[in-house]
Amino acid sequence: MGKEYTAKSFKSGNSVAIRVPAALGVEPDREWGVEWVDGDLVFRAKPAAKRKIDVSGFAGKAPGIRLAPREDFEERPRVIAARKAAGLL
């Protein structure tokens, strides 16, 4: 086991919080699982959430690409005729 540190609990609103010494290197905003095991309070770091990519800025970045037709949607005849007239079909 490593070096032992002292942490102090305190009241924070309707909860009790434990301040963790910075020497332990715990990064802020991390989620932890906490449980009692044989009379000891055990903290386990939860896996970091997978990062998501914001694709909202990608729209319109590839000129000339057309959306694939939806198979669950029938277009109106006038839309189909307009596409044929424009040479898009």
mmCIF file of all heavy atoms in Angstrom, residues 3-56:
data_model
loop_
_atom_site.group_PDB
_atom_site.id
_atom_site.type_symbol
_atom_site.label_atom_id
_atom_site.label_comp_id
_atom_site.label_asym_id
_atom_site.label_seq_id
_atom_site.Cartn_x
_atom_site.Cartn_y
_atom_site.Cartn_z
ATOM 1 N N LYS A 3 1.343 5.636 0.678
ATOM 2 C CA LYS A 3 1.342 6.537 1.823
ATOM 3 C C LYS A 3 -0.092 6.833 2.255
ATOM 4 O O LYS A 3 -0.986 6.944 1.421
ATOM 5 C CB LYS A 3 2.053 7.832 1.442
ATOM 6 C CG LYS A 3 2.220 8.772 2.580
ATOM 7 C CD LYS A 3 3.032 9.983 2.164
ATOM 8 C CE LYS A 3 3.131 10.924 3.347
ATOM 9 N NZ LYS A 3 3.805 12.153 3.007
ATOM 10 N N GLU A 4 -0.312 6.972 3.532
ATOM 11 C CA GLU A 4 -1.650 7.243 4.061
ATOM 12 C C GLU A 4 -1.808 8.737 4.309
ATOM 13 O O GLU A 4 -0.915 9.391 4.851
ATOM 14 C CB GLU A 4 -1.869 6.487 5.374
ATOM 15 C CG GLU A 4 -3.278 6.638 5.906
ATOM 16 C CD GLU A 4 -3.529 5.775 7.121
ATOM 17 O OE1 GLU A 4 -3.190 4.582 7.065
ATOM 18 O OE2 GLU A 4 -4.038 6.305 8.113
ATOM 19 N N TYR A 5 -2.938 9.275 3.894
ATOM 20 C CA TYR A 5 -3.253 10.684 4.078
ATOM 21 C C TYR A 5 -4.487 10.802 4.965
ATOM 22 O O TYR A 5 -5.267 9.864 5.094
ATOM 23 C CB TYR A 5 -3.547 11.359 2.732
ATOM 24 C CG TYR A 5 -2.357 11.387 1.814
ATOM 25 C CD1 TYR A 5 -2.122 10.353 0.917
ATOM 26 C CD2 TYR A 5 -1.470 12.445 1.846
ATOM 27 C CE1 TYR A 5 -1.031 10.378 0.071
ATOM 28 C CE2 TYR A 5 -0.371 12.474 0.999
ATOM 29 C CZ TYR A 5 -0.164 11.448 0.113
ATOM 30 O OH TYR A 5 0.922 11.481 -0.709
ATOM 31 N N THR A 6 -4.699 11.969 5.528
ATOM 32 C CA THR A 6 -5.875 12.231 6.346
ATOM 33 C C THR A 6 -6.832 13.096 5.544
ATOM 34 O O THR A 6 -6.433 14.108 4.970
ATOM 35 C CB THR A 6 -5.492 12.964 7.647
ATOM 36 O OG1 THR A 6 -4.592 12.133 8.372
ATOM 37 C CG2 THR A 6 -6.712 13.247 8.485
ATOM 38 N N ALA A 7 -8.090 12.682 5.492
ATOM 39 C CA ALA A 7 -9.139 13.454 4.830
ATOM 40 C C ALA A 7 -10.205 13.762 5.868
ATOM 41 O O ALA A 7 -10.432 12.982 6.789
ATOM 42 C CB ALA A 7 -9.728 12.655 3.675
ATOM 43 N N LYS A 8 -10.837 14.914 5.712
ATOM 44 C CA LYS A 8 -11.827 15.335 6.691
ATOM 45 C C LYS A 8 -13.192 15.434 6.023
ATOM 46 O O LYS A 8 -13.310 15.951 4.915
ATOM 47 C CB LYS A 8 -11.429 16.689 7.274
ATOM 48 C CG LYS A 8 -12.302 17.122 8.412
ATOM 49 C CD LYS A 8 -11.760 18.384 9.060
ATOM 50 C CE LYS A 8 -12.628 18.744 10.245
ATOM 51 N NZ LYS A 8 -12.147 19.927 10.944
ATOM 52 N N SER A 9 -14.206 14.935 6.710
ATOM 53 C CA SER A 9 -15.566 15.053 6.193
ATOM 54 C C SER A 9 -16.184 16.347 6.715
ATOM 55 O O SER A 9 -15.819 16.845 7.770
ATOM 56 C CB SER A 9 -16.407 13.842 6.602
ATOM 57 O OG SER A 9 -16.533 13.782 8.005
ATOM 58 N N PHE A 10 -17.116 16.887 5.930
ATOM 59 C CA PHE A 10 -17.800 18.114 6.329
ATOM 60 C C PHE A 10 -19.180 18.142 5.710
ATOM 61 O O PHE A 10 -19.464 17.424 4.752
ATOM 62 C CB PHE A 10 -16.982 19.358 5.925
ATOM 63 C CG PHE A 10 -16.728 19.463 4.442
ATOM 64 C CD1 PHE A 10 -17.543 20.228 3.629
ATOM 65 C CD2 PHE A 10 -15.661 18.803 3.866
ATOM 66 C CE1 PHE A 10 -17.302 20.329 2.273
ATOM 67 C CE2 PHE A 10 -15.405 18.894 2.514
ATOM 68 C CZ PHE A 10 -16.234 19.668 1.718
ATOM 69 N N LYS A 11 -20.050 18.960 6.274
ATOM 70 C CA LYS A 11 -21.423 19.078 5.797
ATOM 71 C C LYS A 11 -21.440 20.020 4.597
ATOM 72 O O LYS A 11 -20.849 21.099 4.620
ATOM 73 C CB LYS A 11 -22.309 19.637 6.918
ATOM 74 C CG LYS A 11 -23.757 19.730 6.578
ATOM 75 C CD LYS A 11 -24.501 18.569 7.147
ATOM 76 C CE LYS A 11 -25.997 18.820 7.019
ATOM 77 N NZ LYS A 11 -26.663 17.758 6.393
ATOM 78 N N SER A 12 -22.110 19.607 3.526
ATOM 79 C CA SER A 12 -22.254 20.416 2.325
ATOM 80 C C SER A 12 -23.711 20.328 1.882
ATOM 81 O O SER A 12 -24.116 19.351 1.251
ATOM 82 C CB SER A 12 -21.313 19.905 1.233
ATOM 83 O OG SER A 12 -21.486 20.644 0.048
ATOM 84 N N GLY A 13 -24.495 21.313 2.247
ATOM 85 C CA GLY A 13 -25.935 21.266 1.969
ATOM 86 C C GLY A 13 -26.566 20.159 2.783
ATOM 87 O O GLY A 13 -26.388 20.092 3.997
ATOM 88 N N ASN A 14 -27.287 19.260 2.127
ATOM 89 C CA ASN A 14 -27.906 18.121 2.810
ATOM 90 C C ASN A 14 -27.047 16.873 2.700
ATOM 91 O O ASN A 14 -27.502 15.771 3.001
ATOM 92 C CB ASN A 14 -29.297 17.838 2.234
ATOM 93 C CG ASN A 14 -30.305 18.888 2.663
ATOM 94 O OD1 ASN A 14 -30.161 19.495 3.721
ATOM 95 N ND2 ASN A 14 -31.303 19.119 1.832
ATOM 96 N N SER A 15 -25.802 17.021 2.247
ATOM 97 C CA SER A 15 -24.901 15.879 2.077
ATOM 98 C C SER A 15 -23.692 16.015 2.993
ATOM 99 O O SER A 15 -23.462 17.048 3.593
ATOM 100 C CB SER A 15 -24.408 15.808 0.633
ATOM 101 O OG SER A 15 -25.486 15.643 -0.254
ATOM 102 N N VAL A 16 -22.934 14.958 3.056
ATOM 103 C CA VAL A 16 -21.639 14.983 3.734
ATOM 104 C C VAL A 16 -20.595 14.765 2.652
ATOM 105 O O VAL A 16 -20.719 13.878 1.818
ATOM 106 C CB VAL A 16 -21.548 13.876 4.813
ATOM 107 C CG1 VAL A 16 -20.150 13.835 5.398
ATOM 108 C CG2 VAL A 16 -22.582 14.104 5.893
ATOM 109 N N ALA A 17 -19.555 15.607 2.647
ATOM 110 C CA ALA A 17 -18.506 15.527 1.632
ATOM 111 C C ALA A 17 -17.184 15.178 2.302
ATOM 112 O O ALA A 17 -16.993 15.434 3.483
ATOM 113 C CB ALA A 17 -18.391 16.855 0.897
ATOM 114 N N ILE A 18 -16.292 14.591 1.538
ATOM 115 C CA ILE A 18 -14.948 14.287 2.019
ATOM 116 C C ILE A 18 -13.969 14.988 1.093
ATOM 117 O O ILE A 18 -13.995 14.797 -0.123
ATOM 118 C CB ILE A 18 -14.677 12.769 2.032
ATOM 119 C CG1 ILE A 18 -15.618 12.082 3.009
ATOM 120 C CG2 ILE A 18 -13.220 12.494 2.383
ATOM 121 C CD1 ILE A 18 -15.498 10.582 3.018
ATOM 122 N N ARG A 19 -13.125 15.811 1.655
ATOM 123 C CA ARG A 19 -12.112 16.534 0.883
ATOM 124 C C ARG A 19 -10.913 15.610 0.723
ATOM 125 O O ARG A 19 -10.349 15.121 1.686
ATOM 126 C CB ARG A 19 -11.730 17.813 1.620
ATOM 127 C CG ARG A 19 -10.806 18.679 0.820
ATOM 128 C CD ARG A 19 -10.594 20.036 1.475
ATOM 129 N NE ARG A 19 -11.783 20.863 1.312
ATOM 130 C CZ ARG A 19 -12.494 21.378 2.328
ATOM 131 N NH1 ARG A 19 -12.146 21.144 3.573
ATOM 132 N NH2 ARG A 19 -13.540 22.113 2.095
ATOM 133 N N VAL A 20 -10.522 15.365 -0.532
ATOM 134 C CA VAL A 20 -9.416 14.458 -0.834
ATOM 135 C C VAL A 20 -8.137 15.272 -1.012
ATOM 136 O O VAL A 20 -8.126 16.252 -1.767
ATOM 137 C CB VAL A 20 -9.724 13.652 -2.122
ATOM 138 C CG1 VAL A 20 -8.565 12.756 -2.487
ATOM 139 C CG2 VAL A 20 -10.992 12.838 -1.939
ATOM 140 N N PRO A 21 -7.048 14.902 -0.353
ATOM 141 C CA PRO A 21 -5.793 15.644 -0.494
ATOM 142 C C PRO A 21 -5.298 15.658 -1.949
ATOM 143 O O PRO A 21 -5.376 14.653 -2.657
ATOM 144 C CB PRO A 21 -4.815 14.875 0.394
ATOM 145 C CG PRO A 21 -5.673 14.122 1.347
ATOM 146 C CD PRO A 21 -6.928 13.802 0.620
ATOM 147 N N ALA A 22 -4.783 16.812 -2.385
ATOM 148 C CA ALA A 22 -4.295 16.971 -3.758
ATOM 149 C C ALA A 22 -3.121 16.033 -4.055
ATOM 150 O O ALA A 22 -2.898 15.657 -5.204
ATOM 151 C CB ALA A 22 -3.879 18.419 -4.001
ATOM 152 N N ALA A 23 -2.395 15.631 -3.031
ATOM 153 C CA ALA A 23 -1.237 14.748 -3.230
ATOM 154 C C ALA A 23 -1.641 13.400 -3.820
ATOM 155 O O ALA A 23 -0.815 12.692 -4.391
ATOM 156 C CB ALA A 23 -0.514 14.543 -1.904
ATOM 157 N N LEU A 24 -2.914 13.035 -3.723
ATOM 158 C CA LEU A 24 -3.376 11.768 -4.292
ATOM 159 C C LEU A 24 -3.589 11.867 -5.804
ATOM 160 O O LEU A 24 -3.756 10.854 -6.476
ATOM 161 C CB LEU A 24 -4.673 11.317 -3.609
ATOM 162 C CG LEU A 24 -4.505 10.896 -2.151
ATOM 163 C CD1 LEU A 24 -5.864 10.613 -1.516
ATOM 164 C CD2 LEU A 24 -3.626 9.670 -2.050
ATOM 165 N N GLY A 25 -3.596 13.082 -6.342
ATOM 166 C CA GLY A 25 -3.694 13.254 -7.793
ATOM 167 C C GLY A 25 -5.060 12.978 -8.375
ATOM 168 O O GLY A 25 -5.173 12.610 -9.542
ATOM 169 N N VAL A 26 -6.107 13.145 -7.602
ATOM 170 C CA VAL A 26 -7.462 12.909 -8.097
ATOM 171 C C VAL A 26 -7.889 14.113 -8.927
ATOM 172 O O VAL A 26 -7.860 15.241 -8.453
ATOM 173 C CB VAL A 26 -8.446 12.691 -6.915
ATOM 174 C CG1 VAL A 26 -9.863 12.548 -7.422
ATOM 175 C CG2 VAL A 26 -8.028 11.489 -6.115
ATOM 176 N N GLU A 27 -8.266 13.860 -10.187
ATOM 177 C CA GLU A 27 -8.682 14.963 -11.045
ATOM 178 C C GLU A 27 -10.123 15.366 -10.723
ATOM 179 O O GLU A 27 -10.937 14.531 -10.325
ATOM 180 C CB GLU A 27 -8.538 14.613 -12.528
ATOM 181 C CG GLU A 27 -9.428 13.519 -13.015
ATOM 182 C CD GLU A 27 -8.777 12.145 -12.944
ATOM 183 O OE1 GLU A 27 -7.696 11.983 -12.378
ATOM 184 O OE2 GLU A 27 -9.405 11.212 -13.457
ATOM 185 N N PRO A 28 -10.446 16.645 -10.884
ATOM 186 C CA PRO A 28 -11.795 17.119 -10.583
ATOM 187 C C PRO A 28 -12.812 16.602 -11.602
ATOM 188 O O PRO A 28 -12.455 16.175 -12.698
ATOM 189 C CB PRO A 28 -11.677 18.639 -10.655
ATOM 190 C CG PRO A 28 -10.458 18.898 -11.447
ATOM 191 C CD PRO A 28 -9.562 17.719 -11.284
ATOM 192 N N ASP A 29 -14.071 16.647 -11.237
ATOM 193 C CA ASP A 29 -15.208 16.261 -12.092
ATOM 194 C C ASP A 29 -15.175 14.807 -12.536
ATOM 195 O O ASP A 29 -15.666 14.455 -13.590
ATOM 196 C CB ASP A 29 -15.303 17.173 -13.325
ATOM 197 C CG ASP A 29 -15.511 18.628 -12.947
ATOM 198 O OD1 ASP A 29 -16.227 18.873 -11.963
ATOM 199 O OD2 ASP A 29 -14.961 19.508 -13.627
ATOM 200 N N ARG A 30 -14.616 13.945 -11.759
ATOM 201 C CA ARG A 30 -14.586 12.515 -12.050
ATOM 202 C C ARG A 30 -15.668 11.846 -11.231
ATOM 203 O O ARG A 30 -15.943 12.245 -10.104
ATOM 204 C CB ARG A 30 -13.208 11.959 -11.654
ATOM 205 C CG ARG A 30 -13.013 10.488 -11.877
ATOM 206 C CD ARG A 30 -12.495 10.233 -13.287
ATOM 207 N NE ARG A 30 -12.470 8.826 -13.589
ATOM 208 C CZ ARG A 30 -11.364 8.120 -13.722
ATOM 209 N NH1 ARG A 30 -10.203 8.676 -13.582
ATOM 210 N NH2 ARG A 30 -11.432 6.840 -14.034
ATOM 211 N N GLU A 31 -16.324 10.838 -11.774
ATOM 212 C CA GLU A 31 -17.349 10.109 -11.040
ATOM 213 C C GLU A 31 -16.731 8.923 -10.325
ATOM 214 O O GLU A 31 -15.813 8.277 -10.843
ATOM 215 C CB GLU A 31 -18.456 9.637 -11.978
ATOM 216 C CG GLU A 31 -19.328 10.770 -12.455
ATOM 217 C CD GLU A 31 -20.588 10.273 -13.121
ATOM 218 O OE1 GLU A 31 -20.808 9.037 -13.202
ATOM 219 O OE2 GLU A 31 -21.368 11.109 -13.566
ATOM 220 N N TRP A 32 -17.255 8.627 -9.132
ATOM 221 C CA TRP A 32 -16.719 7.566 -8.289
ATOM 222 C C TRP A 32 -17.846 6.679 -7.793
ATOM 223 O O TRP A 32 -18.935 7.143 -7.488
ATOM 224 C CB TRP A 32 -15.992 8.177 -7.085
ATOM 225 C CG TRP A 32 -14.813 8.979 -7.481
ATOM 226 C CD1 TRP A 32 -14.804 10.274 -7.903
ATOM 227 C CD2 TRP A 32 -13.461 8.526 -7.540
ATOM 228 N NE1 TRP A 32 -13.528 10.657 -8.215
ATOM 229 C CE2 TRP A 32 -12.691 9.618 -7.996
ATOM 230 C CE3 TRP A 32 -12.838 7.327 -7.246
ATOM 231 C CZ2 TRP A 32 -11.317 9.506 -8.172
ATOM 232 C CZ3 TRP A 32 -11.472 7.242 -7.415
ATOM 233 C CH2 TRP A 32 -10.724 8.318 -7.874
ATOM 234 N N GLY A 33 -17.574 5.393 -7.710
ATOM 235 C CA GLY A 33 -18.473 4.451 -7.055
ATOM 236 C C GLY A 33 -18.011 4.310 -5.610
ATOM 237 O O GLY A 33 -16.817 4.232 -5.343
ATOM 238 N N VAL A 34 -18.944 4.333 -4.679
ATOM 239 C CA VAL A 34 -18.598 4.271 -3.257
ATOM 240 C C VAL A 34 -19.418 3.165 -2.610
ATOM 241 O O VAL A 34 -20.622 3.046 -2.853
ATOM 242 C CB VAL A 34 -18.910 5.619 -2.558
ATOM 243 C CG1 VAL A 34 -18.485 5.588 -1.113
ATOM 244 C CG2 VAL A 34 -18.243 6.769 -3.286
ATOM 245 N N GLU A 35 -18.760 2.336 -1.777
ATOM 246 C CA GLU A 35 -19.481 1.281 -1.075
ATOM 247 C C GLU A 35 -18.780 0.947 0.235
ATOM 248 O O GLU A 35 -17.599 1.231 0.418
ATOM 249 C CB GLU A 35 -19.591 0.035 -1.951
ATOM 250 C CG GLU A 35 -18.265 -0.612 -2.287
ATOM 251 C CD GLU A 35 -18.420 -1.853 -3.139
ATOM 252 O OE1 GLU A 35 -19.445 -2.534 -3.016
ATOM 253 O OE2 GLU A 35 -17.504 -2.133 -3.920
ATOM 254 N N TRP A 36 -19.548 0.376 1.142
ATOM 255 C CA TRP A 36 -18.994 -0.126 2.407
ATOM 256 C C TRP A 36 -18.553 -1.559 2.174
ATOM 257 O O TRP A 36 -19.324 -2.381 1.695
ATOM 258 C CB TRP A 36 -20.045 -0.103 3.508
ATOM 259 C CG TRP A 36 -20.334 1.257 4.057
ATOM 260 C CD1 TRP A 36 -21.445 2.012 3.819
ATOM 261 C CD2 TRP A 36 -19.515 2.012 4.946
ATOM 262 N NE1 TRP A 36 -21.354 3.192 4.488
ATOM 263 C CE2 TRP A 36 -20.181 3.226 5.199
ATOM 264 C CE3 TRP A 36 -18.276 1.799 5.533
ATOM 265 C CZ2 TRP A 36 -19.660 4.209 6.020
ATOM 266 C CZ3 TRP A 36 -17.769 2.786 6.359
ATOM 267 C CH2 TRP A 36 -18.449 3.962 6.601
ATOM 268 N N VAL A 37 -17.315 -1.891 2.516
ATOM 269 C CA VAL A 37 -16.794 -3.252 2.411
ATOM 270 C C VAL A 37 -16.139 -3.596 3.736
ATOM 271 O O VAL A 37 -15.118 -3.019 4.102
ATOM 272 C CB VAL A 37 -15.768 -3.381 1.257
ATOM 273 C CG1 VAL A 37 -15.195 -4.787 1.209
ATOM 274 C CG2 VAL A 37 -16.393 -3.009 -0.075
ATOM 275 N N ASP A 38 -16.747 -4.509 4.462
ATOM 276 C CA ASP A 38 -16.216 -4.961 5.752
ATOM 277 C C ASP A 38 -15.879 -3.788 6.681
ATOM 278 O O ASP A 38 -14.827 -3.748 7.310
ATOM 279 C CB ASP A 38 -14.970 -5.842 5.565
ATOM 280 C CG ASP A 38 -15.293 -7.119 4.807
ATOM 281 O OD1 ASP A 38 -16.417 -7.629 4.981
ATOM 282 O OD2 ASP A 38 -14.426 -7.589 4.052
ATOM 283 N N GLY A 39 -16.764 -2.801 6.741
ATOM 284 C CA GLY A 39 -16.570 -1.669 7.640
ATOM 285 C C GLY A 39 -15.680 -0.572 7.092
ATOM 286 O O GLY A 39 -15.436 0.425 7.766
ATOM 287 N N ASP A 40 -15.170 -0.733 5.874
ATOM 288 C CA ASP A 40 -14.337 0.299 5.250
ATOM 289 C C ASP A 40 -15.109 0.948 4.111
ATOM 290 O O ASP A 40 -15.846 0.293 3.381
ATOM 291 C CB ASP A 40 -13.049 -0.298 4.677
ATOM 292 C CG ASP A 40 -12.106 -0.790 5.755
ATOM 293 O OD1 ASP A 40 -12.098 -0.185 6.845
ATOM 294 O OD2 ASP A 40 -11.390 -1.776 5.503
ATOM 295 N N LEU A 41 -14.918 2.243 3.943
ATOM 296 C CA LEU A 41 -15.514 2.977 2.840
ATOM 297 C C LEU A 41 -14.549 2.887 1.654
ATOM 298 O O LEU A 41 -13.399 3.320 1.740
ATOM 299 C CB LEU A 41 -15.733 4.441 3.239
ATOM 300 C CG LEU A 41 -16.570 5.297 2.322
ATOM 301 C CD1 LEU A 41 -17.964 4.714 2.132
ATOM 302 C CD2 LEU A 41 -16.666 6.703 2.881
ATOM 303 N N VAL A 42 -15.001 2.290 0.546
ATOM 304 C CA VAL A 42 -14.136 2.048 -0.611
ATOM 305 C C VAL A 42 -14.606 2.903 -1.779
ATOM 306 O O VAL A 42 -15.773 2.878 -2.144
ATOM 307 C CB VAL A 42 -14.153 0.554 -1.009
ATOM 308 C CG1 VAL A 42 -13.317 0.306 -2.244
ATOM 309 C CG2 VAL A 42 -13.684 -0.306 0.142
ATOM 310 N N PHE A 43 -13.671 3.671 -2.356
ATOM 311 C CA PHE A 43 -13.943 4.498 -3.527
ATOM 312 C C PHE A 43 -13.298 3.848 -4.737
ATOM 313 O O PHE A 43 -12.137 3.459 -4.698
ATOM 314 C CB PHE A 43 -13.322 5.895 -3.358
ATOM 315 C CG PHE A 43 -13.995 6.737 -2.320
ATOM 316 C CD1 PHE A 43 -13.699 6.573 -0.975
ATOM 317 C CD2 PHE A 43 -14.921 7.693 -2.683
ATOM 318 C CE1 PHE A 43 -14.306 7.348 -0.013
ATOM 319 C CE2 PHE A 43 -15.526 8.479 -1.729
ATOM 320 C CZ PHE A 43 -15.223 8.311 -0.390
ATOM 321 N N ARG A 44 -14.057 3.753 -5.837
ATOM 322 C CA ARG A 44 -13.518 3.227 -7.089
ATOM 323 C C ARG A 44 -13.868 4.199 -8.206
ATOM 324 O O ARG A 44 -15.026 4.595 -8.347
ATOM 325 C CB ARG A 44 -14.112 1.853 -7.407
ATOM 326 C CG ARG A 44 -13.613 0.765 -6.493
ATOM 327 C CD ARG A 44 -14.026 -0.621 -7.008
ATOM 328 N NE ARG A 44 -13.506 -1.638 -6.138
ATOM 329 C CZ ARG A 44 -14.132 -2.102 -5.056
ATOM 330 N NH1 ARG A 44 -15.305 -1.617 -4.724
ATOM 331 N NH2 ARG A 44 -13.587 -3.041 -4.319
ATOM 332 N N ALA A 45 -12.870 4.569 -8.983
ATOM 333 C CA ALA A 45 -13.105 5.482 -10.102
ATOM 334 C C ALA A 45 -13.961 4.785 -11.155
ATOM 335 O O ALA A 45 -13.692 3.648 -11.528
ATOM 336 C CB ALA A 45 -11.787 5.930 -10.704
ATOM 337 N N LYS A 46 -14.995 5.479 -11.618
ATOM 338 C CA LYS A 46 -15.814 4.940 -12.700
ATOM 339 C C LYS A 46 -15.098 5.232 -14.016
ATOM 340 O O LYS A 46 -14.363 6.211 -14.129
ATOM 341 C CB LYS A 46 -17.195 5.591 -12.690
ATOM 342 C CG LYS A 46 -18.049 5.138 -11.525
ATOM 343 C CD LYS A 46 -19.479 5.571 -11.725
ATOM 344 C CE LYS A 46 -20.355 4.940 -10.654
ATOM 345 N NZ LYS A 46 -21.766 5.219 -10.891
ATOM 346 N N PRO A 47 -15.292 4.373 -15.005
ATOM 347 C CA PRO A 47 -14.628 4.615 -16.297
ATOM 348 C C PRO A 47 -15.062 5.962 -16.874
ATOM 349 O O PRO A 47 -16.216 6.356 -16.744
ATOM 350 C CB PRO A 47 -15.112 3.470 -17.187
ATOM 351 C CG PRO A 47 -15.792 2.501 -16.298
ATOM 352 C CD PRO A 47 -16.109 3.187 -15.018
ATOM 353 N N ALA A 48 -14.127 6.648 -17.496
ATOM 354 C CA ALA A 48 -14.435 7.940 -18.111
ATOM 355 C C ALA A 48 -15.421 7.729 -19.248
ATOM 356 O O ALA A 48 -15.342 6.739 -19.981
ATOM 357 C CB ALA A 48 -13.164 8.593 -18.624
ATOM 358 N N ALA A 49 -16.349 8.655 -19.387
ATOM 359 C CA ALA A 49 -17.345 8.564 -20.455
ATOM 360 C C ALA A 49 -16.649 8.723 -21.795
ATOM 361 O O ALA A 49 -15.684 9.479 -21.931
ATOM 362 C CB ALA A 49 -18.397 9.641 -20.284
ATOM 363 N N LYS A 50 -17.143 7.996 -22.798
ATOM 364 C CA LYS A 50 -16.564 8.110 -24.127
ATOM 365 C C LYS A 50 -16.877 9.496 -24.690
ATOM 366 O O LYS A 50 -17.978 10.007 -24.536
ATOM 367 C CB LYS A 50 -17.136 7.048 -25.059
ATOM 368 C CG LYS A 50 -16.656 5.667 -24.733
ATOM 369 C CD LYS A 50 -17.077 4.695 -25.797
ATOM 370 C CE LYS A 50 -16.496 3.332 -25.500
ATOM 371 N NZ LYS A 50 -16.762 2.397 -26.578
ATOM 372 N N ARG A 51 -15.872 10.080 -25.332
ATOM 373 C CA ARG A 51 -16.072 11.397 -25.913
ATOM 374 C C ARG A 51 -16.911 11.281 -27.175
ATOM 375 O O ARG A 51 -16.787 10.332 -27.945
ATOM 376 C CB ARG A 51 -14.727 12.021 -26.232
ATOM 377 C CG ARG A 51 -13.942 12.321 -24.982
ATOM 378 C CD ARG A 51 -12.612 12.890 -25.277
ATOM 379 N NE ARG A 51 -12.735 14.071 -26.134
ATOM 380 C CZ ARG A 51 -11.719 14.742 -26.618
ATOM 381 N NH1 ARG A 51 -10.502 14.371 -26.352
ATOM 382 N NH2 ARG A 51 -11.900 15.798 -27.391
ATOM 383 N N LYS A 52 -17.762 12.258 -27.392
ATOM 384 C CA LYS A 52 -18.602 12.278 -28.583
ATOM 385 C C LYS A 52 -18.119 13.384 -29.509
ATOM 386 O O LYS A 52 -17.632 14.412 -29.068
ATOM 387 C CB LYS A 52 -20.057 12.525 -28.193
ATOM 388 C CG LYS A 52 -20.635 11.393 -27.367
ATOM 389 C CD LYS A 52 -22.067 11.638 -27.027
ATOM 390 C CE LYS A 52 -22.608 10.487 -26.180
ATOM 391 N NZ LYS A 52 -23.979 10.711 -25.794
ATOM 392 N N ILE A 53 -18.267 13.151 -30.785
ATOM 393 C CA ILE A 53 -17.849 14.127 -31.778
ATOM 394 C C ILE A 53 -19.068 14.925 -32.213
ATOM 395 O O ILE A 53 -20.106 14.358 -32.541
ATOM 396 C CB ILE A 53 -17.214 13.435 -33.002
ATOM 397 C CG1 ILE A 53 -15.970 12.673 -32.580
ATOM 398 C CG2 ILE A 53 -16.891 14.433 -34.087
ATOM 399 C CD1 ILE A 53 -15.369 11.842 -33.685
ATOM 400 N N ASP A 54 -18.934 16.241 -32.235
ATOM 401 C CA ASP A 54 -20.007 17.111 -32.704
ATOM 402 C C ASP A 54 -19.901 17.215 -34.218
ATOM 403 O O ASP A 54 -18.965 17.814 -34.743
ATOM 404 C CB ASP A 54 -19.878 18.487 -32.052
ATOM 405 C CG ASP A 54 -20.960 19.449 -32.503
ATOM 406 O OD1 ASP A 54 -21.961 18.989 -33.090
ATOM 407 O OD2 ASP A 54 -20.805 20.661 -32.270
ATOM 408 N N VAL A 55 -20.858 16.626 -34.925
ATOM 409 C CA VAL A 55 -20.816 16.621 -36.388
ATOM 410 C C VAL A 55 -21.694 17.707 -36.992
ATOM 411 O O VAL A 55 -21.852 17.768 -38.199
ATOM 412 C CB VAL A 55 -21.230 15.239 -36.947
ATOM 413 C CG1 VAL A 55 -20.245 14.169 -36.547
ATOM 414 C CG2 VAL A 55 -22.630 14.883 -36.535
ATOM 415 N N SER A 56 -22.246 18.580 -36.166
ATOM 416 C CA SER A 56 -23.152 19.605 -36.671
ATOM 417 C C SER A 56 -22.446 20.561 -37.637
ATOM 418 O O SER A 56 -23.078 21.136 -38.512
ATOM 419 C CB SER A 56 -23.765 20.393 -35.515
ATOM 420 O OG SER A 56 -22.762 21.066 -34.782
#
